[in-house]
Amino acid sequence: MLHQLRQDHANMARMLHVLQLKQKTLASGERPNFQLVREVVDYILDYQDGFTRPLEKVCTERLKELDPSSVEVTERLAKDYRALKAKLKRLSGDLDMILMDSVVPMDRFADDLKAYVDSHRAYLRDERELLFPLIREHFDDQDLQRLAEALPDGTTEKLERLQEAYPELYAELRDAPEPVT
């Protein structure tokens, strides 16, 4: 189960890398492929609903029973997650405006995109450094099985579907460097 979580983190890190490349393009004064940015943002929004929320729910409830001192960590991660999702929703709305050729200040959008990528990377790091050790320490095989059942199939299958639906995005993901975890 922890291997699956690490793999999902690696895949998300690749998505963030693609967003970072598009943000750098935008910051340099060029126009990135906003449709590609839209696809990445949509993927992450779906991922957050389908993966992050169930992970948070199962882990928070079970860790609270097993180790009441973990509440501080899980509540902080939950708060950070909500802030992260709000940033992404705002970016999504701005992307809608951009794709409809509405006026959106590109410097603000570039700054917001950078702030989002940085925040999401920090969130992944905190999960890896704070949550995963708690899972490893406290969860037995039954807990890991419950966690596995609460989560959707891994992002590997979703990435394969992305390859078919969005070949340009998949090429960017394939060429993104392997994240350090």
Side-chain angles (χ1 to χ4, degrees):
M1 184 67 236
L2 285 173
H3 174 72
Q4 176 67 41
L5 293 174
R6 284 189 191 95
Q7 184 61 47
D8 286 337
H9 266 219
N11 290 333
M12 184 57 68
R14 284 187 177 101
M15 291 285 185
L16 295 174
H17 180 74
V18 170
L19 287 179
Q20 180 184 29
L21 292 175
K22 300 308 170 199
Q23 185 275 330
K24 286 181 178 182
T25 298
L26 189 57
S28 73
E30 296 177 46
R31 187 174 172 88
N33 179 341
F34 284 109
Q35 187 59 44
L36 184 64
V37 175
R38 163 92 277 153
E39 301 307 336
V40 173
V41 168
D42 287 347
Y43 174 88
I44 295 173
L45 283 168
D46 289 345
Y47 179 86
Q48 286 180 329
D49 287 338
F51 184 87
T52 307
R53 240 185 338 174
L55 173 68
E56 178 187 315
K57 184 179 187 307
V58 170
C59 287
T60 299
E61 290 172 2
R62 186 63 178 143
L63 283 171
K64 191 177 194 179
E65 295 170 17
L66 298 171
D67 179 8
S69 68
S70 70
V71 169
E72 183 180 329
V73 168
T74 57
E75 284 181 357
R76 186 180 124 216
L77 286 171
K79 179 182 169 207
D80 291 349
Y81 165 75
R82 287 188 300 275
L84 192 63
K85 188 160 185 177
K87 286 180 184 181
L88 190 58
K89 289 268 194 192
R90 188 171 50 251
L91 282 173
S92 180
D94 287 347
L95 273 169
D96 288 343
M97 299 295 288
I98 290 168
L99 290 170
M100 291 188 296
D101 292 326
S102 296
V103 176
V104 174
M106 287 299 126
D107 56 339
R108 180 183 57 86
F109 183 77
D111 290 345
D112 289 350
L113 185 55
K114 182 178 183 340
Y116 168 75
V117 169
D118 291 345
S119 295
H120 200 141
R121 283 186 172 143
Y123 179 82
L124 292 176
R125 183 189 62 243
D126 287 347
E127 270 192 341
R128 193 172 51 249
E129 294 175 0
L130 302 172
L131 182 62
F132 291 4
L134 288 170
I135 292 171
R136 192 172 26 256
E137 179 181 346
H138 296 293
F139 277 27
D140 60 21
D141 289 341
Q142 283 182 320
D143 293 321
L144 292 174
Q145 182 60 37
R146 267 190 299 231
L147 181 58
E149 290 168 1
L151 300 177
D153 291 335
T155 56
T156 303
E157 294 82 12
K158 289 180 184 176
L159 288 176
E160 289 170 4
R161 286 193 297 274
L162 272 178
Q163 179 179 9
E164 295 170 12
Y166 309 107
E168 186 178 348
L169 173 57
Y170 182 78
E172 295 247 8
L173 292 173
R174 183 192 60 229
D175 296 340
E178 181 72 25
V180 177
T181 55

